[in-house]
Structures are given as structure tokens and as C-alpha cells.
Amino acid sequence: MRARFVLYPLSALTLIQPLHAEVYLSVEQARNLMFPGATFAQAFITLSDAQASAIERDSGVSVRDRTVHVWRASTGGWFIADEVVGKHEFIPFALALDATGAVKSVEILEYREAYGGDVRNSAWRAQFVGKAHGAALELNNDIKNISGATLSSKHIADGVKRLLATYAVAIAAH
Amino acid sequence: MTIRAHGLLPAAAQRAIDDAFTAVAHIHSCMSFHERESDVSRLNREAHESPVAVDSAAFDVLDIALRFAEESKGVFDITVAPQLVDLELLPSPAGASRPDPAATWHDVELLPERRVRFHRPLWLDLGGIAKGYAVDRAIERLIAHGATQTSVNAGGDLRVYGARTEHVLLAPDTYGDGVPVIEIENGSIASSEPRAHTGSHRAGSFVSVIAEDCVVADALTKVVFARGRAAAPLLVRHGAAAHLYNSRTGWQHFGAHLSGPHAPALLAS
């Protein structure tokens, strides 16, 4: 065991971000926010090798987790809880798709990094609304980057692209 | 309570975390002062009349508690429940005789085959140590499932395991000079709530104790809260360090050195 007590002077606090996780929304809260009034039927999918390869080829993004945590909304559309890597920690987020598989909204559930939390900014997230499978989602070209949050914004954009491909490959067929 | 587990695939992580939660729930139900059928409640009702057999976890916790009572010369005392009931910090246990005012922890006797007897009617409260014990058991389960980096945080009693240094923000009522963070690997931190511990003249103090085992950290917070710096020899004996804050004296640090030769660090502004 090793332990060290460190006191950060209050005057330095504007430079130092909180070291604990910010939990913004639970999965349940995000679901109800993104699909008000709906009930949800769990429809988790375990991707086969073929499906994972197809998603990776299609989106150019690797599939880290073969389990897709997806729920069908009673009011139409799909809710997916996923996570991407930030700089040091995972960023859990949620994606709402309408009945045609286009993005309704993106919500960040938790943010554990010391900086880069601007991906939570609603104007930034609004850039994804309406994007469907096949849409260009390149950072800086199609999705504006956020200074100081480059890695997080790239990975969220990649995550959305991967999930749109996942929808086309594994969900739309159901 | 928050449990984090890394180094496992999601399904395995879920199983590990569920197992850890189950362990904690079991300990809570054995040791609850409030629940009628917990081991503690049965002892409080019956053990002064005849020996009562208890769960192995409850017996283990009693053993640890009595050893801390001995080592702290009664400063750590699981028989203070009557005073806590009188202060309305605990409800009166249903169906239990009034405790003998002269009863102390010396009147709790551990017998073979996990039986416990009280020499006088008394009320036990294991709340000062059960949470730390539960955290230790939860961490054991997580490690057994193969987690490489894991932490259990039960409302301020926490334990971390793994090679990575975790940063824990302490939360006294006011920050005073600065924001206190413990950088810790493979250890536990327990912090006192400013509950009106009987005999304490340190109202408004905040105490964090660092030790390898959470049950040890948990028990020692009570001793540090009551005795302050005088608890240092007991801390050293258990390889533990204490950080005590109140607005009058600021931060004080005593006990074992846990970070090598350095004293606690105050970062230059």
C-alpha cells in the first residue's frame, strides 16, 4: 500500500479540474429524456465475427465490445448505451435513433476526464442530429472539433459512426 | 455504494460486481442494528440469557471489534449503543431489555462454535466497523473474479486495489487552505462523519484514516476522532496514517509514514 496526502491550494483550483467523475445521467434517465413517455424493450445483440467485421469495414472504427446494449422504444426508434475511450478513461454515452435509423440525439452520461468535458455541450452534440448511416462524420470537416477536447470529440464522432453502421448491419434487419 | 472494476470483459465485470454487492448485502443484514432478525438484534435480545450462535462474518467482526477495544483501552467501544439511543442517533432495539449501565465491552464473550454470550444485558452496535469490513469482503470478491484495478466506495469508506494510483478527494465541511486529495494504491480510506460520538470534544473535526484494510481504517477513525494525536501509537502499530482537520488548527497528520520518507505534500501555489 502507498498513500500520499496532497493539498491543492484553493488559488490553483481554476487550473485543476475535479478529479472525481461527473455523472450526468444514468442509462434510465437518458432513455426517458431522449424518448419521453416511451417504454423500452431490451433487445441486446451479441455481434458475430461477420457482423463485427462488416461494421469495422463500413465505419473504419474498431469494435471493442461485441455486446450492443440496445432497447427498442415503444414510440418508435432505438436507444443504445455505449462508451468510447477518452484520453484516460471511458466516456459512457447514449445514442437515440429514430425509426429510420437516423440520429435523434446524443447524450454524454458520465465524464471522468480532467478536461475535454465540452463534448457535453449541447450545441456540439446537436451536430449529430439527423445523421444516418452513410453520412460523413469526419471531425473538422463535418463535425466541428472542440479545442481542448480533440480526442474526446473524435472518439464520440467515431462512436456515433460505428453505431450507425451497427444499426445498418445488426439492428435494422430485426 | 459505488463499485468499479477494470480488467474484465463486461459480462464478467457484471458478475464480479453483483457478487461484491451480494457480499455487502449479506454483511449488512447480519449486522444491522435496526433489523429485527439480524445477528446483532438477536444478540441484543438474547445473549445475556444464553449463548447465541452467529454467522461467521458477525463473529469475525466481533472478534476484530473486541481487539480494537482492548488496544484502544475502550476508546473504540461497540457497547455505546445505549448512549447513542439516548442521543436519538439510534432507535431503541425492539424487544431488548434495558442494558445494564455498568456493562462494557468486557462483558462480551466469544465462545467456540461462533457463539456469543453477554455477561450483562447490553446493546451492541457494529456500525462503526461493519461497513469497513464489508468493503474488505467486496474487494476480495472482485479480486477473486480477476479484476486488475478495482475500487469499492461505501459512502466514504473505500478501498482500492491495483497497480494504478487512485486519487480520492476528501470532503470536510469547509476546505480551509486547500483541497485535500489522497493519492493511494492498494489501500483503504475511512472518514468520520461529524456524528456526535460520545465523549468527543472535537465537534466540527473531520478525520480520514488510511490503512491497508478498510475495517482497520474504519475502527481507527473513531479512536482518532476521540483522542487526536494521542492515537498515533495505535495508528503506527496498524501501519495506518490519520489526517485530521478542523477550522481552528487546519490539517494535522500523524501515524505511520505511508509514502516513503516524505511528509505530506503541500503544493506550492
Short mmCIF file of all heavy atoms in Angstrom, two decimals, chain B residues 135-197:
data_model
loop_
_atom_site.label_atom_id
_atom_site.label_comp_id
_atom_site.label_asym_id
_atom_site.label_seq_id
_atom_site.Cartn_x
_atom_site.Cartn_y
_atom_site.Cartn_z
N VAL B 135 -16.53 -3.63 2.95
CA VAL B 135 -15.71 -3.18 1.82
C VAL B 135 -14.57 -4.17 1.57
O VAL B 135 -14.28 -4.54 0.43
CB VAL B 135 -15.16 -1.75 2.08
CG1 VAL B 135 -14.09 -1.38 1.07
CG2 VAL B 135 -16.30 -0.73 2.04
N ASP B 136 -13.94 -4.63 2.66
CA ASP B 136 -12.84 -5.61 2.50
C ASP B 136 -13.34 -6.88 1.84
O ASP B 136 -12.67 -7.44 0.95
CB ASP B 136 -12.23 -5.96 3.86
CG ASP B 136 -11.43 -4.82 4.46
OD1 ASP B 136 -10.86 -4.02 3.69
OD2 ASP B 136 -11.38 -4.73 5.70
N ARG B 137 -14.51 -7.36 2.25
CA ARG B 137 -15.04 -8.60 1.65
C ARG B 137 -15.41 -8.39 0.20
O ARG B 137 -15.24 -9.26 -0.66
CB ARG B 137 -16.27 -9.10 2.42
CG ARG B 137 -16.04 -9.36 3.90
CD ARG B 137 -15.23 -10.62 4.20
NE ARG B 137 -13.80 -10.46 3.99
CZ ARG B 137 -12.98 -9.77 4.78
NH1 ARG B 137 -13.46 -9.17 5.86
NH2 ARG B 137 -11.71 -9.68 4.52
N ALA B 138 -15.93 -7.21 -0.12
CA ALA B 138 -16.31 -6.92 -1.51
C ALA B 138 -15.07 -6.90 -2.41
O ALA B 138 -15.07 -7.47 -3.50
CB ALA B 138 -17.05 -5.58 -1.59
N ILE B 139 -14.02 -6.26 -1.92
CA ILE B 139 -12.77 -6.20 -2.70
C ILE B 139 -12.23 -7.63 -2.93
O ILE B 139 -11.77 -7.95 -4.04
CB ILE B 139 -11.72 -5.32 -2.00
CG1 ILE B 139 -12.01 -3.84 -2.25
CG2 ILE B 139 -10.31 -5.65 -2.44
CD1 ILE B 139 -11.58 -3.32 -3.61
N GLU B 140 -12.30 -8.46 -1.90
CA GLU B 140 -11.83 -9.84 -2.05
C GLU B 140 -12.55 -10.54 -3.19
O GLU B 140 -11.94 -11.27 -3.99
CB GLU B 140 -12.11 -10.64 -0.78
CG GLU B 140 -11.01 -10.63 0.23
CD GLU B 140 -11.44 -11.26 1.55
OE1 GLU B 140 -12.52 -11.90 1.62
OE2 GLU B 140 -10.69 -11.09 2.52
N ARG B 141 -13.89 -10.34 -3.27
CA ARG B 141 -14.66 -10.99 -4.33
C ARG B 141 -14.21 -10.48 -5.69
O ARG B 141 -14.07 -11.23 -6.66
CB ARG B 141 -16.15 -10.71 -4.17
CG ARG B 141 -16.78 -11.22 -2.90
CD ARG B 141 -16.96 -12.74 -2.92
NE ARG B 141 -17.58 -13.20 -1.69
CZ ARG B 141 -18.86 -13.53 -1.59
NH1 ARG B 141 -19.65 -13.47 -2.64
NH2 ARG B 141 -19.34 -13.93 -0.43
N LEU B 142 -14.02 -9.18 -5.79
CA LEU B 142 -13.64 -8.59 -7.08
C LEU B 142 -12.28 -9.11 -7.52
O LEU B 142 -12.08 -9.42 -8.69
CB LEU B 142 -13.64 -7.06 -6.95
CG LEU B 142 -15.04 -6.47 -6.77
CD1 LEU B 142 -14.97 -5.10 -6.12
CD2 LEU B 142 -15.77 -6.38 -8.11
N ILE B 143 -11.35 -9.21 -6.61
CA ILE B 143 -10.03 -9.74 -6.95
C ILE B 143 -10.14 -11.20 -7.35
O ILE B 143 -9.53 -11.64 -8.33
CB ILE B 143 -9.05 -9.58 -5.76
CG1 ILE B 143 -8.81 -8.10 -5.44
CG2 ILE B 143 -7.73 -10.28 -6.07
CD1 ILE B 143 -8.06 -7.88 -4.13
N ALA B 144 -10.95 -11.96 -6.62
CA ALA B 144 -11.14 -13.38 -6.94
C ALA B 144 -11.71 -13.56 -8.34
O ALA B 144 -11.42 -14.54 -9.03
CB ALA B 144 -12.05 -14.03 -5.91
N HIS B 145 -12.52 -12.58 -8.79
CA HIS B 145 -13.08 -12.68 -10.15
C HIS B 145 -12.09 -12.24 -11.21
O HIS B 145 -12.37 -12.35 -12.40
CB HIS B 145 -14.34 -11.81 -10.25
CG HIS B 145 -15.58 -12.48 -9.73
ND1 HIS B 145 -16.46 -13.18 -10.55
CD2 HIS B 145 -16.09 -12.57 -8.49
CE1 HIS B 145 -17.45 -13.65 -9.80
NE2 HIS B 145 -17.26 -13.31 -8.56
N GLY B 146 -10.94 -11.72 -10.80
CA GLY B 146 -9.92 -11.37 -11.78
C GLY B 146 -9.83 -9.91 -12.13
O GLY B 146 -9.13 -9.54 -13.09
N ALA B 147 -10.47 -9.03 -11.40
CA ALA B 147 -10.35 -7.61 -11.71
C ALA B 147 -8.91 -7.17 -11.45
O ALA B 147 -8.31 -7.55 -10.46
CB ALA B 147 -11.30 -6.79 -10.83
N THR B 148 -8.35 -6.38 -12.36
CA THR B 148 -6.97 -5.94 -12.20
C THR B 148 -6.88 -4.59 -11.49
O THR B 148 -5.89 -4.28 -10.87
CB THR B 148 -6.26 -5.82 -13.57
OG1 THR B 148 -7.06 -4.98 -14.40
CG2 THR B 148 -6.12 -7.18 -14.23
N GLN B 149 -7.91 -3.78 -11.64
CA GLN B 149 -7.97 -2.49 -10.96
C GLN B 149 -9.40 -2.34 -10.50
O GLN B 149 -10.32 -2.40 -11.31
CB GLN B 149 -7.60 -1.35 -11.93
CG GLN B 149 -7.54 0.03 -11.31
CD GLN B 149 -6.23 0.29 -10.56
OE1 GLN B 149 -5.22 -0.32 -10.90
NE2 GLN B 149 -6.25 1.15 -9.57
N THR B 150 -9.60 -2.20 -9.22
CA THR B 150 -10.97 -2.17 -8.74
C THR B 150 -11.08 -1.32 -7.48
O THR B 150 -10.10 -1.17 -6.75
CB THR B 150 -11.49 -3.62 -8.51
OG1 THR B 150 -12.85 -3.57 -8.09
CG2 THR B 150 -10.69 -4.36 -7.46
N SER B 151 -12.24 -0.76 -7.28
CA SER B 151 -12.45 0.04 -6.08
C SER B 151 -13.88 -0.14 -5.60
O SER B 151 -14.80 -0.36 -6.39
CB SER B 151 -12.19 1.52 -6.36
OG SER B 151 -13.17 2.05 -7.23
N VAL B 152 -14.02 -0.07 -4.27
CA VAL B 152 -15.34 -0.13 -3.65
C VAL B 152 -15.44 1.10 -2.76
O VAL B 152 -14.57 1.34 -1.94
CB VAL B 152 -15.49 -1.41 -2.80
CG1 VAL B 152 -16.83 -1.41 -2.06
CG2 VAL B 152 -15.35 -2.65 -3.67
N ASN B 153 -16.48 1.87 -2.94
CA ASN B 153 -16.66 3.07 -2.14
C ASN B 153 -18.03 3.00 -1.50
O ASN B 153 -19.05 3.10 -2.17
CB ASN B 153 -16.57 4.31 -3.05
CG ASN B 153 -16.66 5.61 -2.26
OD1 ASN B 153 -16.97 5.61 -1.07
ND2 ASN B 153 -16.37 6.72 -2.91
N ALA B 154 -18.06 2.75 -0.17
CA ALA B 154 -19.33 2.65 0.53
C ALA B 154 -19.52 3.90 1.35
O ALA B 154 -19.18 3.94 2.53
CB ALA B 154 -19.34 1.40 1.43
N GLY B 155 -20.01 4.93 0.72
CA GLY B 155 -20.31 6.19 1.40
C GLY B 155 -19.17 6.71 2.24
O GLY B 155 -19.33 7.07 3.39
N GLY B 156 -17.97 6.76 1.67
CA GLY B 156 -16.86 7.36 2.40
C GLY B 156 -15.89 6.35 2.99
O GLY B 156 -14.81 6.71 3.41
N ASP B 157 -16.26 5.09 3.06
CA ASP B 157 -15.31 4.02 3.39
C ASP B 157 -14.93 3.40 2.07
O ASP B 157 -15.79 2.83 1.41
CB ASP B 157 -15.96 2.94 4.27
CG ASP B 157 -15.97 3.32 5.73
OD1 ASP B 157 -15.67 4.49 6.05
OD2 ASP B 157 -16.31 2.46 6.56
N LEU B 158 -13.67 3.51 1.70
CA LEU B 158 -13.35 2.96 0.40
C LEU B 158 -12.03 2.19 0.41
O LEU B 158 -11.17 2.40 1.27
CB LEU B 158 -13.33 4.06 -0.67
CG LEU B 158 -12.14 4.97 -0.82
CD1 LEU B 158 -11.15 4.44 -1.83
CD2 LEU B 158 -12.60 6.32 -1.31
N ARG B 159 -11.93 1.30 -0.56
CA ARG B 159 -10.70 0.52 -0.73
C ARG B 159 -10.43 0.41 -2.21
O ARG B 159 -11.35 0.22 -3.01
CB ARG B 159 -10.85 -0.87 -0.12
CG ARG B 159 -9.56 -1.69 -0.22
CD ARG B 159 -9.56 -2.89 0.69
NE ARG B 159 -8.27 -3.55 0.61
CZ ARG B 159 -7.86 -4.48 1.47
NH1 ARG B 159 -8.65 -4.86 2.47
NH2 ARG B 159 -6.67 -5.03 1.34
N VAL B 160 -9.14 0.53 -2.55
CA VAL B 160 -8.75 0.40 -3.95
C VAL B 160 -7.73 -0.71 -4.07
O VAL B 160 -6.94 -0.96 -3.15
CB VAL B 160 -8.18 1.73 -4.52
CG1 VAL B 160 -9.18 2.85 -4.34
CG2 VAL B 160 -6.86 2.09 -3.88
N TYR B 161 -7.74 -1.36 -5.22
CA TYR B 161 -6.79 -2.44 -5.50
C TYR B 161 -6.30 -2.30 -6.93
O TYR B 161 -7.10 -2.05 -7.83
CB TYR B 161 -7.47 -3.80 -5.30
CG TYR B 161 -6.67 -4.95 -5.87
CD1 TYR B 161 -5.65 -5.55 -5.13
CD2 TYR B 161 -6.90 -5.43 -7.16
CE1 TYR B 161 -4.91 -6.59 -5.65
CE2 TYR B 161 -6.16 -6.47 -7.69
CZ TYR B 161 -5.16 -7.05 -6.92
OH TYR B 161 -4.42 -8.09 -7.44
N GLY B 162 -5.02 -2.50 -7.14
CA GLY B 162 -4.49 -2.48 -8.50
C GLY B 162 -3.23 -1.63 -8.54
O GLY B 162 -2.91 -0.90 -7.59
N ALA B 163 -2.54 -1.70 -9.66
CA ALA B 163 -1.24 -1.01 -9.77
C ALA B 163 -1.38 0.49 -9.94
O ALA B 163 -0.48 1.26 -9.64
CB ALA B 163 -0.47 -1.60 -10.95
N ARG B 164 -2.54 0.93 -10.43
CA ARG B 164 -2.71 2.34 -10.76
C ARG B 164 -3.00 3.16 -9.51
O ARG B 164 -3.74 2.72 -8.63
CB ARG B 164 -3.87 2.49 -11.74
CG ARG B 164 -3.78 3.76 -12.58
CD ARG B 164 -4.76 3.72 -13.74
NE ARG B 164 -6.13 3.72 -13.31
CZ ARG B 164 -7.13 3.17 -14.01
NH1 ARG B 164 -6.87 2.56 -15.15
NH2 ARG B 164 -8.36 3.22 -13.57
N THR B 165 -2.42 4.34 -9.42
CA THR B 165 -2.69 5.24 -8.30
C THR B 165 -4.07 5.86 -8.47
O THR B 165 -4.39 6.40 -9.52
CB THR B 165 -1.64 6.37 -8.26
OG1 THR B 165 -0.34 5.79 -8.23
CG2 THR B 165 -1.84 7.25 -7.04
N GLU B 166 -4.87 5.77 -7.44
CA GLU B 166 -6.20 6.40 -7.46
C GLU B 166 -6.12 7.72 -6.71
O GLU B 166 -5.34 7.85 -5.77
CB GLU B 166 -7.23 5.47 -6.80
CG GLU B 166 -7.30 4.10 -7.41
CD GLU B 166 -8.41 3.95 -8.45
OE1 GLU B 166 -9.11 4.94 -8.70
OE2 GLU B 166 -8.55 2.84 -8.99
N HIS B 167 -6.93 8.65 -7.14
CA HIS B 167 -6.98 9.94 -6.46
C HIS B 167 -8.31 10.06 -5.76
O HIS B 167 -9.36 9.93 -6.39
CB HIS B 167 -6.83 11.08 -7.48
CG HIS B 167 -5.51 11.08 -8.15
ND1 HIS B 167 -5.18 10.22 -9.17
CD2 HIS B 167 -4.41 11.83 -7.93
CE1 HIS B 167 -3.93 10.45 -9.54
NE2 HIS B 167 -3.44 11.41 -8.81
N VAL B 168 -8.28 10.30 -4.46
CA VAL B 168 -9.50 10.37 -3.68
C VAL B 168 -9.63 11.76 -3.09
O VAL B 168 -8.76 12.23 -2.36
CB VAL B 168 -9.49 9.32 -2.56
CG1 VAL B 168 -10.76 9.43 -1.71
CG2 VAL B 168 -9.35 7.92 -3.14
N LEU B 169 -10.73 12.41 -3.41
CA LEU B 169 -10.98 13.74 -2.89
C LEU B 169 -11.65 13.61 -1.54
O LEU B 169 -12.68 12.95 -1.41
CB LEU B 169 -11.90 14.47 -3.88
CG LEU B 169 -12.38 15.87 -3.51
CD1 LEU B 169 -11.23 16.84 -3.50
CD2 LEU B 169 -13.44 16.32 -4.49
N LEU B 170 -11.05 14.20 -0.50
CA LEU B 170 -11.68 14.18 0.82
C LEU B 170 -12.70 15.31 0.89
O LEU B 170 -12.59 16.30 0.17
CB LEU B 170 -10.64 14.34 1.92
CG LEU B 170 -9.52 13.30 1.93
CD1 LEU B 170 -8.58 13.56 3.10
CD2 LEU B 170 -10.09 11.89 2.00
N ALA B 171 -13.65 15.17 1.79
CA ALA B 171 -14.73 16.16 1.80
C ALA B 171 -15.07 16.67 3.20
O ALA B 171 -16.12 16.34 3.75
CB ALA B 171 -15.98 15.55 1.17
N PRO B 172 -14.16 17.43 3.79
CA PRO B 172 -14.53 18.10 5.03
C PRO B 172 -15.61 19.15 4.74
O PRO B 172 -15.86 19.46 3.57
CB PRO B 172 -13.23 18.77 5.48
CG PRO B 172 -12.44 18.94 4.22
CD PRO B 172 -12.84 17.84 3.32
N ASP B 173 -16.24 19.69 5.79
CA ASP B 173 -17.30 20.67 5.57
C ASP B 173 -16.79 21.92 4.85
O ASP B 173 -17.48 22.50 4.03
CB ASP B 173 -17.91 21.09 6.91
CG ASP B 173 -18.88 20.04 7.40
OD1 ASP B 173 -19.34 19.23 6.57
OD2 ASP B 173 -19.16 20.01 8.62
N THR B 174 -15.59 22.35 5.22
CA THR B 174 -15.02 23.51 4.52
C THR B 174 -13.59 23.14 4.11
O THR B 174 -12.97 22.29 4.73
CB THR B 174 -14.93 24.75 5.41
OG1 THR B 174 -14.13 24.42 6.57
CG2 THR B 174 -16.30 25.20 5.88
N TYR B 175 -13.09 23.78 3.09
CA TYR B 175 -11.77 23.42 2.59
C TYR B 175 -10.63 24.13 3.28
O TYR B 175 -9.51 23.68 3.24
CB TYR B 175 -11.69 23.65 1.08
CG TYR B 175 -12.37 22.57 0.29
CD1 TYR B 175 -13.21 22.87 -0.77
CD2 TYR B 175 -12.19 21.22 0.60
CE1 TYR B 175 -13.84 21.87 -1.49
CE2 TYR B 175 -12.81 20.22 -0.11
CZ TYR B 175 -13.63 20.55 -1.16
OH TYR B 175 -14.25 19.57 -1.87
N GLY B 176 -10.89 25.25 3.90
CA GLY B 176 -9.78 25.95 4.56
C GLY B 176 -8.74 26.37 3.53
O GLY B 176 -9.07 27.02 2.54
N ASP B 177 -7.50 25.91 3.72
CA ASP B 177 -6.41 26.35 2.84
C ASP B 177 -6.42 25.73 1.47
O ASP B 177 -5.87 26.28 0.52
CB ASP B 177 -5.05 25.98 3.46
CG ASP B 177 -4.75 26.81 4.67
OD1 ASP B 177 -5.21 27.96 4.71
OD2 ASP B 177 -4.07 26.29 5.57
N GLY B 178 -6.96 24.54 1.36
CA GLY B 178 -6.83 23.88 0.08
C GLY B 178 -7.68 22.63 0.00
O GLY B 178 -8.31 22.22 0.97
N VAL B 179 -7.66 22.02 -1.17
CA VAL B 179 -8.48 20.85 -1.45
C VAL B 179 -7.65 19.60 -1.19
O VAL B 179 -6.62 19.40 -1.82
CB VAL B 179 -8.98 20.89 -2.91
CG1 VAL B 179 -9.74 19.62 -3.24
CG2 VAL B 179 -9.82 22.13 -3.14
N PRO B 180 -8.09 18.76 -0.26
CA PRO B 180 -7.28 17.60 0.11
C PRO B 180 -7.54 16.40 -0.78
O PRO B 180 -8.68 16.01 -1.00
CB PRO B 180 -7.75 17.31 1.54
CG PRO B 180 -9.17 17.77 1.57
CD PRO B 180 -9.30 18.86 0.54
N VAL B 181 -6.45 15.82 -1.29
CA VAL B 181 -6.56 14.65 -2.14
C VAL B 181 -5.59 13.60 -1.61
O VAL B 181 -4.46 13.91 -1.26
CB VAL B 181 -6.19 15.00 -3.60
CG1 VAL B 181 -6.07 13.74 -4.45
CG2 VAL B 181 -7.21 15.96 -4.19
N ILE B 182 -6.05 12.37 -1.54
CA ILE B 182 -5.16 11.27 -1.18
C ILE B 182 -4.83 10.52 -2.46
O ILE B 182 -5.73 10.10 -3.20
CB ILE B 182 -5.82 10.28 -0.20
CG1 ILE B 182 -6.39 11.01 1.01
CG2 ILE B 182 -4.85 9.18 0.19
CD1 ILE B 182 -5.45 11.19 2.15
N GLU B 183 -3.55 10.39 -2.75
CA GLU B 183 -3.12 9.55 -3.86
C GLU B 183 -2.79 8.20 -3.25
O GLU B 183 -1.93 8.11 -2.39
CB GLU B 183 -1.88 10.15 -4.53
CG GLU B 183 -2.13 11.54 -5.10
CD GLU B 183 -0.85 12.21 -5.60
OE1 GLU B 183 0.23 11.65 -5.35
OE2 GLU B 183 -0.96 13.28 -6.21
N ILE B 184 -3.47 7.17 -3.68
CA ILE B 184 -3.38 5.89 -2.96
C ILE B 184 -3.35 4.69 -3.90
O ILE B 184 -4.02 4.68 -4.94
CB ILE B 184 -4.55 5.77 -1.95
CG1 ILE B 184 -4.43 4.49 -1.12
CG2 ILE B 184 -5.91 5.87 -2.65
CD1 ILE B 184 -5.38 4.43 0.06
N GLU B 185 -2.52 3.70 -3.53
CA GLU B 185 -2.52 2.42 -4.23
C GLU B 185 -2.71 1.32 -3.20
O GLU B 185 -2.03 1.31 -2.18
CB GLU B 185 -1.15 2.17 -4.88
CG GLU B 185 -0.82 3.06 -6.04
CD GLU B 185 0.67 3.39 -6.06
OE1 GLU B 185 1.47 2.48 -5.75
OE2 GLU B 185 1.00 4.55 -6.33
N ASN B 186 -3.61 0.39 -3.50
CA ASN B 186 -3.77 -0.81 -2.68
C ASN B 186 -3.96 -0.51 -1.20
O ASN B 186 -3.26 -1.06 -0.34
CB ASN B 186 -2.54 -1.73 -2.85
CG ASN B 186 -2.48 -2.29 -4.24
OD1 ASN B 186 -3.46 -2.79 -4.76
ND2 ASN B 186 -1.31 -2.17 -4.87
N GLY B 187 -4.92 0.33 -0.92
CA GLY B 187 -5.21 0.61 0.48
C GLY B 187 -6.63 1.10 0.65
O GLY B 187 -7.41 1.13 -0.30
N SER B 188 -6.92 1.50 1.88
CA SER B 188 -8.28 1.91 2.24
C SER B 188 -8.26 3.27 2.90
O SER B 188 -7.27 3.64 3.53
CB SER B 188 -8.88 0.90 3.24
OG SER B 188 -8.83 -0.40 2.72
N ILE B 189 -9.36 3.97 2.75
CA ILE B 189 -9.53 5.25 3.43
C ILE B 189 -10.90 5.22 4.09
O ILE B 189 -11.90 4.91 3.45
CB ILE B 189 -9.49 6.44 2.45
CG1 ILE B 189 -8.21 6.41 1.61
CG2 ILE B 189 -9.60 7.76 3.22
CD1 ILE B 189 -8.16 7.48 0.54
N ALA B 190 -10.94 5.56 5.38
CA ALA B 190 -12.23 5.73 6.05
C ALA B 190 -12.26 7.13 6.62
O ALA B 190 -11.25 7.64 7.10
CB ALA B 190 -12.38 4.70 7.16
N SER B 191 -13.40 7.76 6.53
CA SER B 191 -13.51 9.13 7.03
C SER B 191 -14.66 9.21 8.00
O SER B 191 -15.68 8.55 7.82
CB SER B 191 -13.72 10.09 5.86
OG SER B 191 -12.63 9.99 4.96
N SER B 192 -14.47 10.01 9.02
CA SER B 192 -15.53 10.12 10.03
C SER B 192 -16.57 11.12 9.57
O SER B 192 -16.24 12.15 9.00
CB SER B 192 -14.93 10.60 11.34
OG SER B 192 -14.57 11.95 11.21
N GLU B 193 -17.81 10.80 9.83
CA GLU B 193 -18.83 11.84 9.71
C GLU B 193 -18.76 12.61 11.00
O GLU B 193 -18.45 12.03 12.02
CB GLU B 193 -20.23 11.23 9.61
CG GLU B 193 -20.32 9.95 8.82
CD GLU B 193 -21.63 9.25 9.11
OE1 GLU B 193 -22.70 9.82 8.81
OE2 GLU B 193 -21.60 8.13 9.65
N PRO B 194 -19.07 13.88 11.00
CA PRO B 194 -19.07 14.60 12.27
C PRO B 194 -20.30 14.23 13.12
O PRO B 194 -21.08 15.06 13.48
CB PRO B 194 -19.09 16.07 11.86
CG PRO B 194 -19.55 16.10 10.47
CD PRO B 194 -19.29 14.75 9.85
N ARG B 195 -20.43 12.93 13.40
CA ARG B 195 -21.51 12.42 14.25
C ARG B 195 -21.11 12.70 15.68
O ARG B 195 -19.93 12.66 15.99
CB ARG B 195 -21.57 10.91 14.02
CG ARG B 195 -22.74 10.17 14.57
CD ARG B 195 -22.41 8.68 14.48
NE ARG B 195 -23.57 7.85 14.46
CZ ARG B 195 -23.55 6.53 14.65
NH1 ARG B 195 -22.42 5.92 14.82
NH2 ARG B 195 -24.64 5.81 14.63
N ALA B 196 -22.07 12.95 16.54
CA ALA B 196 -21.72 13.29 17.92
C ALA B 196 -21.28 12.04 18.67
O ALA B 196 -22.03 11.44 19.41
CB ALA B 196 -22.91 13.95 18.61
N HIS B 197 -20.03 11.61 18.45
CA HIS B 197 -19.52 10.47 19.20
C HIS B 197 -19.46 10.83 20.67
O HIS B 197 -19.01 11.89 21.04
CB HIS B 197 -18.11 10.10 18.71
CG HIS B 197 -18.16 9.29 17.45
ND1 HIS B 197 -18.05 7.93 17.46
CD2 HIS B 197 -18.32 9.65 16.18
CE1 HIS B 197 -18.13 7.48 16.23
NE2 HIS B 197 -18.30 8.51 15.42
#
